Amino acid sequence: MSAISARAVAAKLLVPVINGEGSLASLDGEIAAHAVAERDRGFVKALCFGVCRAYPRLDALAAELLRQPFKKRDSDVQALLLLGLYQLLHMRVPAHAAVSETAGAARGLGKAWATRVLNGCLRRFQRESVALQAKVDRDPPVALWHPAWLLKALRQAWPDAWQALCAANNEAGPMTLRVNRRRTTREAYLERLDAAGIEASACQFAADGIQLAGAVDVHQLPGFAEGDVSVQDESAQLCADLLAPALEGRDGARVFDACAAPGGKSAHLLERFTLDLTASDIDPGRLARVGATLERLGLDARLSALDASSATLAETLGQTSDSADAAAPSAGFDAILLDAPCSGTGVIRRHPDIKLTRRASDIGDLAALQARLLDNLWRQLVPGGTLLYATCSVLPAENAEQIAAFLAHTPDARATTPDDLAWGQPAGHGRQLLTAQNGHDGFFYARLEKVAD
């Protein structure tokens, strides 16, 4: 596939995202479906992620360059303009190629008429770049590459850290690994990486974590296919540490991972502890990914496609349990992990399309869903059991405020989140990690114990 076609494909894939009707969640599959040559796939992916990452600023610059906005049916042409600006500002593509090949890509979309418009806009940007950038950067959300509602929320929540948060959100996250301690040790795996010529270092907080100096294809990782290692951010790996007091020395403990896909936390728990684990997700397709993850790692768990917020959860668990006394509601669970659906504001750097697809109004809906999940799952926990609540959000409404409200109306719940941890910062009854540049994702944890009668 030619470079021109690669740009046309990137524009097509961006259309549903910039129209708020889709995301980049299935980007790899969509790139393959467009028959993009293997040598061009990384370029298409970099274009799509890059445009989403810088979208607020690119969109403002595009508005300055156009006499009037494109109609919705020409969103692909708008996407090409954003792609051209992104290449000129942030990629090592020669400027003449960024302009001419991006403009020419309009022909691949069947819109040759747009070639002249795109050429004119991009050439004008080259001439007036400094002045145009200075003009749009007067607006803080544009200058900081964040939608206005999110920037306001971050400033209110983290008055001393919001600028660092924005900077971290605007960078690609590092590639972080989790060593499967059932098969090897972190020290031994670091030596294998070194022998393979892959620069890496131990994570600061996660005992099984390794951060790579640069991203590599997973198939280049020694022993990946055999299950020696997985890709997982350092923040996500801290889940196993927080549940350790409830699970260590308790072989066969009954554990429920309520929103398990794609399965990284379930796998880590099974690598660390000997458990009777049920992993569930509302989406059967995503649950299949959990199964694939566990199979690669040689781990075993029950898989149940179910809605953990459903009022019939207890009955569903009883029906899907293949062991009468293991996952049946009458037995309950010794520990529950609720990695709740959330805004994803702690992982924007890995999912930059969140800047386009998420709305301020989503936060209230998500908080209501999280509250239902907490209440529902609490009933499945045995007295003395532990529930770990987690989100990849940095917004208090989904985190500290959510847990405070839960504790206020749940008399048999008490928070046991440690206050002497080396990572994160206290946030009500939980612990908040803010997205760190060159470090971990943003995450929140709150550990709760069901008080025995």
Side-chain angles (χ1 to χ4, degrees), residues 273-311:
F273 313 107
T274 300
L275 305 173
D276 180 354
L277 188 141
T278 299
S280 78
D281 199 273
I282 192 171
D283 184 336
R286 284 171 52 81
L287 188 65
R289 293 180 60 191
V290 180
T293 296
L294 298 181
E295 183 177 1
R296 180 180 64 83
L297 295 167
L299 302 169
D300 187 44
R302 292 182 184 81
L303 302 181
S304 295
L306 52 81
D307 179 0
S309 69
S310 168

Side-chain angles (χ1 to χ4, degrees), residues 151-152 179 184 285 303 312 330 337 399 431:
L151 188 65
K152 179 180 178 182
V179 172
T184 186
L303 302 181
T312 61
S330 58
L337 169 60
N399 299 333
R431 197 82 176 176

Side-chain angles (χ1 to χ4, degrees), residues 235-250 253-258 265-270 272-275 277 333-339 381 384-390 416-418 421 423 445-449:
S235 290
Q237 295 183 41
L238 299 171
C239 165
D241 289 344
L242 284 169
L243 278 172
L247 302 178
E248 277 181 335
R250 297 190 62 187
R254 293 162 299 187
V255 178
F256 186 48
D257 186 353
K265 296 184 184 66
S266 280
H268 196 197
L269 291 174
L270 290 165
R272 289 274 299 266
F273 313 107
T274 300
L275 305 173
L277 188 141
F333 294 96
D334 301 303
I336 293 175
L337 169 60
L338 171 53
D339 188 2
L381 192 67
T386 296
L387 186 149
L388 185 64
Y389 176 83
T416 61
T417 311
L421 297 167
W423 48 265
Y445 287 106
R447 195 173 67 194
L448 308 169
E449 179 183 326

Side-chain angles (χ1 to χ4, degrees), residues 62 103 168 173 193 239 246 266 286 349 355 367 375 403 419 444 447:
L193 287 173
C239 165
S266 280
R286 284 171 52 81
R349 59 186 185 171
K355 291 181 179 179
D375 290 339
I403 295 303
D419 57 8
F444 175 83
R447 195 173 67 194

Side-chain angles (χ1 to χ4, degrees), residues 42-113:
F43 181 59
V44 173
K45 195 168 183 177
L47 286 173
C48 291
F49 272 74
V51 165
C52 288
R53 191 167 282 123
Y55 180 81
R57 193 164 189 262
L58 298 177
D59 192 50
L61 288 169
E64 291 294 324
L65 293 166
L66 292 168
R67 291 182 180 175
Q68 59 184 16
F70 291 112
K71 294 178 179 178
K72 186 176 180 181
R73 66 171 179 262
D74 295 320
S75 294
D76 47 359
V77 180
Q78 169 77 5
L80 277 180
L81 179 54
L82 301 177
L83 287 167
L85 292 169
Y86 181 73
Q87 291 168 75
L88 289 171
L89 285 167
H90 302 292
M91 296 187 87
R92 294 180 179 176
V93 177
H96 66 85
V99 174
S100 62
E101 295 188 12
T102 301
R107 297 190 189 93
L109 301 173
K111 297 183 178 179
W113 59 266

Side-chain angles (χ1 to χ4, degrees), residues 201-265:
S201 59
C203 286
Q204 183 178 3
F205 305 120
D208 301 319
I210 289 175
Q211 184 172 309
L212 303 187
V216 302
D217 188 297
V218 293
H219 300 295
Q220 297 178 26
L221 297 171
F224 179 80
E226 293 75 24
D228 294 352
V229 71
S230 300
V231 177
Q232 187 180 41
D233 184 76
E234 184 177 19
S235 290
Q237 295 183 41
L238 299 171
C239 165
D241 289 344
L242 284 169
L243 278 172
L247 302 178
E248 277 181 335
R250 297 190 62 187
D251 289 0
R254 293 162 299 187
V255 178
F256 186 48
D257 186 353
C259 303
K265 296 184 184 66

